[in-house]
């Protein structure tokens, strides 16, 4: 008895046979039309270039190739089982003159790849169409031979395949032989149609979508670079503002106090002693502010002893109690950019917890899962943190995006707040 899972798998398999067969059978007439349009158009356009009529003919042919390529891209996901990226055609600048706009498609590589696909597709589709049609016809004809085989004319010297193979002669032998042959063809139909459909689809994937993958990768890298530049610019401006408003003002006041104490040391020793005491206090507070500002910069402990030791130091300095759990193997070091990013994430997250959340406890966990470092910071505060442009968390998100990481914020009103950062370790 067939199980439900087996029946589902069988239905899915024959459904794919139908999809592959339809793709191949429809692909041949489409390939034939595309071949005729592109080859005739390109030949005509090239031949008429000398009298300039060929230029619009060439451009029109490339646009036809683009339209046919778009249709083929829509057919590919059903066969390949996944969504494919679509290339971005370089837009024509309307400010340019007519000759420049006419020539623009000729300089776009994807148009020529579309035209090349139209030419090569016919070659592949002829093979796949012939194989699939032969297989389907053989399977149906062999299994139905009992219904139509008797009507075949027989001459005195006619010999059929079973007889030539030495299997005997007569209608019964032919029926059994063709039924077995048809059954074999029917059972092998799924892999055959699948192979032919994939052969045809892979050509389309290579010529019509591979450039889109490159464009997507370039776009992703550009976004990462922009995010890194934006994050560094924001961090630099913040650091400059904090230094100007904090340590710089204290150092100016410290200088003034020291000069005043020097003037008072002969005439008012007690006043000079009090001023020096205030100067010492100013020095201590300035050092504390400088330590606080340096939390966004990789500290020596991170470079010397690794992420676990650096996070332990952050947790010890946090005004909010921190439950730290780092599951990295003892002594394991991650790439410097990963350690710096994780350190900055935890440092900023704990600073936000202390300033804004009214939390009493924060939990920090660091795990390495499938070559991705997962950093989670959770607090029991009031919640309401938002990952939106202009907010502090946007800078964190940009910093992670610059290294192909992702920041997720879950912070409903009333809490708790959970920040999850994932950074690839490559």
């Amino acid at each position: 008895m067939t199980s439900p899972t087996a029946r589902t798998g069988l239905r899915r398999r024959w459904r794919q046979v139908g999809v592959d067969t339809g793709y191949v059978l429809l692909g041949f007439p489409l390939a034939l039309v595309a071949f005729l349009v592109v080859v005739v158009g390109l030949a005509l356009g090239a031949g008429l270039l000398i009298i300039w009529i060929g230029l619009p003919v060439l451009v029109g042919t490339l646009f036809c190739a683009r339209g046919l390529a778009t249709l083929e891209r829509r057919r590919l996901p059903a066969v390949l089982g996944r969504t494919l990226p679509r290339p971005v055609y370089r837009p024509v600048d309307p400010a340019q003159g007519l000759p420049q706009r006419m020539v623009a498609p000729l300089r776009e590589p994807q148009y020529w790849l579309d035209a090349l696909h139209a030419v090569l597709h016919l070659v592949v589709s002829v093979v796949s169409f012939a194989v699939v049609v032969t297989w389907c016809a053989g399977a149906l004809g062999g299994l139905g031979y009992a219904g139509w085989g008797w009507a075949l004319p027989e001459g005195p010297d006619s010999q059929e395949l079973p007889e030539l193979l030495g299997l005997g002669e007569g209608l019964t032998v032919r029926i059994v032989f063709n039924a077995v042959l048809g059954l074999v063809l029917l059972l092998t139909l799924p892999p055959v149609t699948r192979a032919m459909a994939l052969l045809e689809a892979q050509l389309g994937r290579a010529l019509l979508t591979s450039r889109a993958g490159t464009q997507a990768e370039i776009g992703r890298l550009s976004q990462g670079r922009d995010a890194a530049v934006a994050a560094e610019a924001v961090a630099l401006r913040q650091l400059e503002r904090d230094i100007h408003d904090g340590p710089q003002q204290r150092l100016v006041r410290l200088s003034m106090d020291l000069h005043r104490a020097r003037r008072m040391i002969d005439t008012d020793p007690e006043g000079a002693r009090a001023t020096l005491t205030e100067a010492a206090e100013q020095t201590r507070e300035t050092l504390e502010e400088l330590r606080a500002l340096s939390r966004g910069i990789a500290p020596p402990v991170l470079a010397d002893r690794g992420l676990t030791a650096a996070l332990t130091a952050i947790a010890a300095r946090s005004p909010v109690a921190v439950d730290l759990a780092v599951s990295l193997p003892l002594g394991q070091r991650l790439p410097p950019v990963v350690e710096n990013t994780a350190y900055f994430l935890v440092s900023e997250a704990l600073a936000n917890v202390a300033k804004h959340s009214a939390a009493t406890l924060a939990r920090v966990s660091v795990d390495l899962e499938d070559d991705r470092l997962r950093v989670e910071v959770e607090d029991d505060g009031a919640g309401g943190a938002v990952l939106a442009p202009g907010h502090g968390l946007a800078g964190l998100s940009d910093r992670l995006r610059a290294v192909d990481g992702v920041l997720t914020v879950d912070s409903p009103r009333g809490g708790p707040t959970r920040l999850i950062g994932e950074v690839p370790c490559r």
Side-chain angles (χ1 to χ4, degrees), residues 288-313:
E288 288 181 355
E289 287 195 9
L290 288 174
R291 290 194 189 97
L293 291 176
S294 69
R295 70 173 182 271
I297 306 172
V301 66
L302 180 62
D304 296 339
R305 299 171 55 192
L307 184 61
T308 302
L311 295 183
T312 303

Side-chain angles (χ1 to χ4, degrees), residues 39-49 53-54 57-58:
V39 171
V40 172
L42 292 180
L44 189 62
L48 295 176
L49 270 179
I53 300 177
V57 173
L58 278 178

Side-chain angles (χ1 to χ4, degrees), residues 278-296:
E278 292 178 3
E281 181 65 20
Q282 289 287 334
T283 304
R284 187 188 62 78
E285 293 177 355
T286 303
L287 288 175
E288 288 181 355
E289 287 195 9
L290 288 174
R291 290 194 189 97
L293 291 176
S294 69
R295 70 173 182 271

Side-chain angles (χ1 to χ4, degrees), residues 82-342:
R82 66 179 188 276
T83 303
L84 297 173
R86 296 187 178 185
V88 178
Y89 292 84
R90 188 182 307 162
V92 178
D93 186 359
Q96 293 180 333
L98 180 60
Q100 289 80 9
R101 295 202 302 272
M102 288 288 292
V103 174
L106 302 179
R107 295 183 298 183
E108 171 59 55
Q110 188 59 51
Y111 280 104
W112 294 105
L113 289 175
D114 296 343
L116 180 62
H117 175 264
V119 175
L120 297 180
H121 189 199
L122 180 62
V123 179
V124 178
S125 66
V126 165
V127 176
S128 58
F129 181 84
V131 171
V132 170
V133 168
T134 300
W135 232 262
C136 292
L140 294 175
L143 293 174
Y145 187 84
W148 59 270
W150 56 271
L152 292 175
E154 293 187 31
D157 298 327
S158 61
Q159 289 182 319
E160 296 217 5
L161 185 58
E163 188 176 353
L164 292 174
L165 294 176
L167 299 176
E169 57 181 315
L171 182 60
T172 304
V173 172
R174 294 199 301 270
I175 291 175
V176 172
F177 176 81
N178 283 284
V180 172
L181 181 61
L183 183 61
V184 171
L185 292 177
L186 180 64
L187 294 177
T188 55
L189 184 62
V192 170
T193 55
R194 187 71 184 144
M196 293 298 104
L198 286 177
L199 175 65
E200 198 170 330
Q202 289 296 345
L203 175 68
R205 185 195 62 77
L207 294 178
L208 303 181
T209 67
S210 60
R211 192 165 176 268
T214 304
Q215 290 175 333
E217 180 67 15
I218 293 174
R220 188 185 63 77
L221 293 175
S222 297
Q223 290 178 355
R225 181 201 58 194
D226 294 342
V229 171
E232 291 299 330
V234 171
L236 182 59
R237 285 197 298 271
Q238 179 68 35
L239 184 60
E240 290 174 346
R241 185 167 57 249
D242 290 344
I243 290 176
H244 179 269
D245 295 342
Q248 184 174 340
Q249 300 299 323
R250 291 185 180 280
L251 288 174
V252 170
R253 181 181 171 184
L254 175 62
S255 175
M256 295 171 63
D257 288 347
L258 291 175
H259 282 85
R260 187 169 71 250
R262 187 175 60 182
R263 291 194 301 270
M264 296 169 61
I265 195 166
D266 295 328
T267 58
D268 186 6
E270 291 299 326
R273 189 177 295 108
T275 302
L276 289 174
T277 303
E278 292 178 3
E281 181 65 20
Q282 289 287 334
T283 304
R284 187 188 62 78
E285 293 177 355
T286 303
L287 288 175
E288 288 181 355
E289 287 195 9
L290 288 174
R291 290 194 189 97
L293 291 176
S294 69
R295 70 173 182 271
I297 306 172
V301 66
L302 180 62
D304 296 339
R305 299 171 55 192
L307 184 61
T308 302
L311 295 183
T312 303
I314 295 180
R317 293 198 305 266
S318 173
V320 178
V322 177
D323 182 6
L324 177 65
V326 181
S327 64
L328 297 178
L330 185 63
Q332 179 177 359
R333 297 300 303 266
L334 302 174
V337 65
V338 176
E339 291 189 339
N340 288 348
T341 304

